[in-house]
Amino acid sequence: MKSAIVIDSTTKLRKNFSSDVDIYTVPVRVFIDDEEFQDSDELTKKILESIKEDKKVETSLPRIDYIEELFEKLHKKYDIVYVLSVSSLLSGTYNLLSTIANKYENIVVFDSKTVSIQNTYVLERMIKDISNGKILEEDDIISYRDESLFLISVFDITRLHKSGRIGKVVSLIGKIMHVKPVLTIARSGEVQLVQKAVSSKKIAEILRERVETFVEKQRNLDHSSFVIYAAVGRDEYKDYVYDIAKSYDLKPQFLDIGPAVMTHVGTEGFGLVIGVWD
């Protein structure tokens, strides 16, 4: 069976990544002072400059005509097309993709209930199973999510506060007390506060504890192999990732944050995903 996967541009591929399954990307739109741009790696520098200049930077849904043309082409070319969307509780992208896909019997849209590098992990699990001949269902996407842990730390929550991705109360506490939140994406697909830290040392401690608990749980379920993906706003934040990876003798795979996500978090943070890879 000939299959393909469609992702939105918040899901980044690892550098030099190769796949037996064809992958297509739908670009999210980025607006800088109301001027429209397509999400691309080349846009990152412009977004960073705009954030520093305190310009209005926002993201919006992909273009409808782009999706319609892509789906029309793919439904003829492949037996089945899987579409992996960012969480429906974080974006209207899922509803848009689903509405357009409804006219095609061989296009299936999945709500990943997450975003960014956890979607990268989910995508690679999808590719692995499809390559082995598996027909994917919604339960498979849920299983991939449950077999991974996504942790995010933000040292300056100004951008999150402006984008509405974190509660105003937490934002206020962070500004007054210099509290740095450790976040995750809950199973429901919403941004969730895991814990608050007042120092870099405490952030490292929280990350180690959460990862240790996750790994122990997965090992009790007879999983023994793991992978770590990470995206960092600054190179110095890689130390947090290396510290955890070293504990499990793993080599972390670093990915770009990407323009769409950077619009909401800036450069003052990082995310890591550890997942099962048996």
Side-chain angles (χ1 to χ4, degrees):
M1 179 174 288
K2 194 174 182 181
S3 305
I5 300 175
V6 176
I7 58 176
D8 65 71
S9 59
T10 63
T11 302
K12 295 300 178 182
L13 300 176
R14 290 187 286 119
K15 288 181 172 62
N16 303 318
F17 176 75
S18 60
S19 169
D20 295 333
V21 181
D22 293 336
I23 301 171
Y24 298 85
T25 300
V26 173
V28 173
R29 291 183 289 166
V30 178
F31 290 86
I32 301 175
D33 279 349
D34 298 324
E35 183 180 357
E36 181 178 336
F37 299 88
Q38 295 290 342
D39 184 354
S40 67
D41 293 338
E42 292 73 26
L43 188 58
T44 300
K45 184 177 179 180
K46 188 173 184 64
I47 288 177
L48 289 175
E49 292 173 350
S50 299
I51 289 174
K52 289 178 182 178
E53 295 169 5
D54 202 28
K55 291 183 178 180
K56 185 174 69 172
V57 184
E58 300 174 309
T59 57
S60 186
L61 300 181
R63 294 183 63 89
I64 294 175
D65 58 346
Y66 184 97
I67 301 171
E68 288 176 335
E69 290 175 11
L70 179 64
F71 283 8
E72 179 64 24
K73 178 180 73 174
L74 297 185
H75 102 93
K76 297 175 182 177
K77 185 176 180 180
Y78 298 94
D79 297 307
I80 186 165
V81 178
Y82 299 106
V83 183
L84 181 67
S85 171
V86 61
S87 170
S88 60
L89 293 182
L90 297 179
S91 169
T93 301
Y94 171 76
N95 290 332
L96 175 60
L97 293 169
S98 296
T99 299
I100 298 173
N102 279 340
K103 62 190 290 189
Y104 304 108
E105 292 185 357
N106 62 335
I107 298 182
V108 182
V109 182
F110 294 131
D111 182 350
S112 71
K113 304 291 186 183
T114 188
V115 68
S116 189
I117 56 174
Q118 191 168 38
N119 262 356
T120 302
Y121 170 77
V122 171
L123 170 66
E124 295 195 16
R125 287 288 302 270
M126 291 173 67
I127 292 169
K128 185 178 181 181
D129 281 350
I130 292 170
S131 298
N132 290 328
K134 185 177 179 64
I135 305 298
L136 300 182
E137 299 179 358
E138 189 75 39
D139 286 348
D140 295 305
I141 307 302
I142 295 172
S143 175
Y144 305 149
R145 284 276 282 105
D146 288 346
E147 292 178 350
S148 64
L149 173 69
F150 188 16
L151 294 171
I152 308 155
S153 186
V154 184
F155 292 87
D156 183 340
I157 57 179
T158 302
R159 291 301 307 173
L160 276 176
H161 179 47
K162 285 184 177 181
S163 69
R165 301 303 190 196
I166 191 169
K168 291 182 179 179
V169 174
V170 175
S171 179
L172 182 61
I173 291 173
K175 289 178 180 178
I176 295 175
M177 302 179 62
H178 307 291
V179 171
K180 302 169 180 60
V182 177
L183 310 167
T184 191
I185 305 297
R187 220 165 170 260
S188 62
E190 296 177 290
V191 176
Q192 182 181 69
L193 178 66
V194 174
Q195 205 167 331
K196 291 174 285 188
V198 294
S199 67
S200 299
K201 182 179 179 181
K202 183 61 178 178
I203 288 176
E205 180 183 312
I206 293 169
L207 296 176
R208 283 195 299 269
E209 289 175 352
R210 295 284 171 167
V211 170
E212 183 178 352
T213 299
F214 169 79
V215 170
E216 182 178 349
K217 176 184 176 181
Q218 295 303 322
R219 283 176 172 168
N220 287 337
L221 295 172
D222 293 329
H223 296 301
S224 58
S225 298
F226 301 89
V227 291
I228 289 182
Y229 301 153
V232 299
R234 297 180 182 272
D235 283 343
E236 55 261 40
Y237 299 152
K238 289 182 178 181
D239 290 341
Y240 294 94
V241 182
Y242 284 128
D243 179 56
I244 291 173
K246 184 179 179 180
S247 300
Y248 301 98
D249 196 26
L250 296 172
K251 180 180 179 181
Q253 301 288 335
F254 287 96
L255 298 98
D256 295 331
I257 290 182
V261 176
M262 188 170 289
T263 296
H264 298 297
V265 301
T267 60
E268 296 301 323
F270 70 93
L272 70 86
V273 169
I274 181 166
V276 169
W277 199 264
D278 292 334

